[in-house]
Amino acid sequence: GAVVSQHPSRVICKSGTSVKIECRSLDFQATTMFWYRQFPKQSLMLMATSNEGSKATYEQGVEKDKFLINHASLTLSTLTVTSAHPEDSSFYICSARIWQGRFSEQYFGPGTRLTVT
Amino acid sequence: SQELEQSPQSLIVQEGKNLTINCTSSKTLYGLYWYKQKYGEGLIFLMMLQKGGEEKSHEKITAKLDEKKQQSSLHITASQPSHAGIYLCGADEIQGAQKLVFGQGTRLTINP
């Protein structure tokens, strides 16, 4: 299957600083990428959908100014958590879709664990 | 919006035993995905089903989508410790949808 990478895998930052997480599709071009957040023992929560070259579509309740998403190329999307606070500590996972006609497959990155102190 | 119900929420089986996890929707499933996740890691793509009655297998894991395309099952034969983890089903809300909705997951524990 296709490979999606994330960097960094773990990051610890101080409250008030910003953190950037990168998501790359390694062997395919992804017109659509997704950012999810996952709390312990819970399922994935979609934060936003990102299409290459256009503004991200955020889910209800997700602060656009807090979670900046940039999808500058067909292989790279970034999530920047601005002015991070301890409540932003979580596991962030990106995902990318490959379209094959009317159908698609969706692959996930390994995740980034963010800890805000 | 579409909701996916997974059952059971958790499952403990003896190594070597077979098991089944179900994923049910009140609406038609246009694309049904099965993933496996280990704690603290990303999701591993297992299989994707599209057509009613479709069945796919990979090693000891078989996934089926019923004819009505409202229920899918994931069956593991002769379970091994490596099968332990959280299994998630995901589905397209509508045909050609851009985003998946997920079930709450099934936590599988394999006892030696």
Side-chain angles (χ1 to χ4, degrees):
Chain A
V3 178
V4 177
S5 71
Q6 271 184 252
H7 178 79
S9 57
R10 287 178 178 271
V11 57
I12 301 173
C13 70
K14 292 187 177 180
S15 187
T17 61
S18 295
V19 174
K20 180 185 282 188
I21 303 170
E22 289 188 351
C23 176
R24 294 181 184 271
S25 55
L26 296 186
D27 48 3
F28 66 99
Q29 292 183 331
T31 53
T32 306
M33 287 186 169
F34 307 87
W35 287 96
Y36 293 83
R37 184 172 180 177
Q38 187 177 37
F39 292 101
K41 297 187 178 180
Q42 292 188 24
S43 190
L44 300 171
M45 182 189 80
L46 180 64
M47 298 174 66
T49 301
S50 168
N51 287 299
E52 185 264 338
S54 61
K55 290 184 179 180
T57 302
Y58 290 81
E59 294 298 302
Q60 194 172 9
V62 178
E63 298 177 62
K64 301 178 183 181
D65 297 331
K66 177 117 184 115
F67 299 99
L68 301 179
I69 292 171
N70 183 280
H71 192 162
S73 77
L74 289 172
T75 59
L76 173 65
S77 177
T78 60
L79 169 68
T80 301
V81 183
T82 63
S83 187
H85 291 285
E87 58 265 29
D88 298 324
S89 299
S90 191
F91 192 56
Y92 293 88
I93 307 176
C94 73
S95 179
R97 270 219 167 176
I98 301 175
W99 286 94
Q100 299 171 343
R102 290 189 301 147
F103 303 103
S104 64
E105 293 184 344
Q106 188 159 334
Y107 296 91
F108 286 78
T112 295
R113 184 160 302 281
L114 170 63
T115 303
V116 184
T117 60
Chain B
S1 63
Q2 187 169 69
E3 292 184 355
L4 296 179
E5 287 288 327
Q6 277 187 244
S7 62
Q9 291 188 5
S10 66
L11 189 56
I12 303 173
V13 300
Q14 202 74 24
E15 182 178 353
K17 297 293 185 183
N18 302 336
L19 63 105
T20 300
I21 299 169
N22 294 301
C23 177
T24 304
S25 172
S26 58
K27 299 180 181 179
T28 300
L29 298 167
Y30 288 101
L32 190 287
Y33 299 72
W34 282 102
Y35 295 92
K36 177 186 173 185
Q37 185 182 29
K38 293 208 175 239
Y39 178 74
E41 299 180 13
L43 276 64
I44 299 169
F45 175 81
L46 297 176
M47 275 169 276
M48 189 256 190
L49 304 169
Q50 302 163 356
K51 301 174 185 176
E54 186 175 8
E55 179 177 322
K56 288 186 178 178
S57 293
H58 177 67
E59 297 180 344
K60 294 185 178 181
I61 301 176
T62 300
K64 300 178 185 179
L65 182 61
D66 74 343
E67 289 290 343
K68 290 185 178 180
K69 294 172 60 176
Q70 287 186 291
Q71 182 173 352
S72 179
S73 61
L74 186 80
H75 185 76
I76 299 177
T77 305
S79 58
Q80 300 169 349
S82 60
H83 288 128
I86 299 168
Y87 289 82
L88 288 156
C89 66
D92 289 326
E93 285 191 301
I94 58 174
Q95 191 163 15
Q98 280 211 329
K99 60 183 182 182
L100 295 178
V101 291
F102 283 93
Q104 73 274 33
T106 296
R107 185 177 297 272
L108 174 62
T109 303
I110 307 293
N111 284 337

